[in-house]
Amino acid sequence: GVGGDYFDVIQFDEHRIAFCVGDISGKGVAAALLMANFQANFHSLIRKEYPLDDFVRALNESVLRITHSEKFITFFVAEYNTQTRALKYINAGHNPPILVHNNEVVLLRKGCTILGSFEELPQIEIGEGRIEGHATILAYTDGLTDLRDNNGDFLDADMINEFTFQNNHLSAKEFNDKLMTEIQLFKGTQDFPDDFTILTCKLFE
């Protein structure tokens, strides 16, 4: 099957990287084609190295051109500098990614509304912080929290937060493998109701 989820990782130079996760409204081929267009715009704009808020404004304009306000995109994008350990991000109406560091869980909520619904984004707040020690960031799309078990109960965000906290010592591959095992156990005989994407980032001293 095909769907409208998207993730990407861009390395600007030796110390600076960017990563993102996005999800377009709708399913199937139409959503995938729209997201492919969004991906092309993302790569074109990010290489211009705009300030993060101007970059998101430009992305919003590109979504409006693509969808004519008939679809919207939830989106999370972050920049990280491995030398200064500075993290900047904007969350545009997306499920808040989970940051685990200093033995605590922080939800990356700051940002703006969804992309593609307004000609001008009414307000953008850039989230900023410095990463202390080892850290894990888990970003995901809402197909994960749409999962149900055999009793009809959802896999809620609190369960994902707790899993991330308890397993943040694992490597990214070990973390993802264990998460997929837990997902299979949780859903039992139920089908996957939607596509979902997981992006796990490990930040080291």
Side-chain angles (χ1 to χ4, degrees):
V2 295
D5 284 4
Y6 172 55
F7 77 95
D8 217 331
V9 179
I10 305 292
Q11 184 155 357
F12 295 113
D13 55 37
E14 183 182 358
H15 299 295
R16 296 183 304 134
I17 62 171
F19 55 93
C20 72
V21 172
D23 188 9
I24 196 164
S25 58
K27 296 185 175 78
V29 174
L33 289 172
L34 289 170
M35 190 55 91
N37 198 322
F38 176 83
Q39 178 189 18
N41 283 298
F42 173 86
H43 276 264
S44 174
L45 290 167
I46 202 165
R47 292 299 180 186
K48 297 179 180 179
E49 300 195 33
Y50 294 133
L52 198 57
D53 52 346
D54 289 341
F55 170 66
V56 169
R57 289 188 182 94
L59 277 179
N60 182 64
E61 292 173 6
S62 73
V63 175
L64 282 169
R65 288 195 302 270
I66 297 167
T67 67
H68 307 291
S69 298
E70 294 177 359
K71 300 283 186 181
F72 64 86
I73 290 178
T74 67
F75 185 66
F76 173 86
V77 60
E79 298 176 354
Y80 182 65
N81 188 309
T82 60
Q83 188 173 44
T84 65
R85 298 183 63 79
L87 178 72
K88 294 183 179 182
Y89 73 87
I90 290 177
N91 185 336
H94 198 75
N95 302 84
I98 305 157
L99 167 64
V100 180
H101 75 140
N102 285 339
N103 204 36
E104 65 176 350
V105 174
V106 178
L107 299 181
L108 305 181
R109 300 181 181 277
K110 293 181 179 179
C112 60
T113 190
I114 56 179
L115 305 183
S117 291
F118 300 95
E119 289 189 10
E120 292 187 13
L121 294 171
Q123 181 179 355
I124 298 178
E125 182 180 11
I126 299 176
E128 298 185 71
R130 188 175 184 277
I131 302 300
E132 303 288 347
H134 297 321
T136 298
I137 297 176
L138 173 65
Y140 59 92
T141 57
D142 62 6
L144 184 59
T145 49
D146 285 343
L147 291 171
R148 295 179 186 242
D149 63 15
N150 288 331
N151 296 321
D153 296 323
F154 285 102
L155 177 64
D156 64 30
D158 288 340
M159 297 169 66
I160 301 169
N161 297 348
E162 180 64 20
F163 177 90
T164 306
F165 180 76
Q166 294 295 336
N167 295 280
N168 78 94
H169 61 284
L170 299 176
S171 71
K173 183 181 187 308
E174 290 170 335
F175 181 96
N176 287 349
D177 288 346
K178 186 172 182 179
L179 180 56
M180 290 304 299
T181 298
E182 292 295 318
I183 287 169
Q184 293 289 350
L185 289 172
F186 174 84
K187 76 180 190 65
T189 59
Q190 301 302 305
D191 293 329
F192 289 101
D194 192 6
D195 54 330
F196 70 90
T197 295
I198 294 166
L199 177 62
T200 303
C201 303
K202 302 292 293 188
L203 307 178
F204 303 100
E205 288 184 285

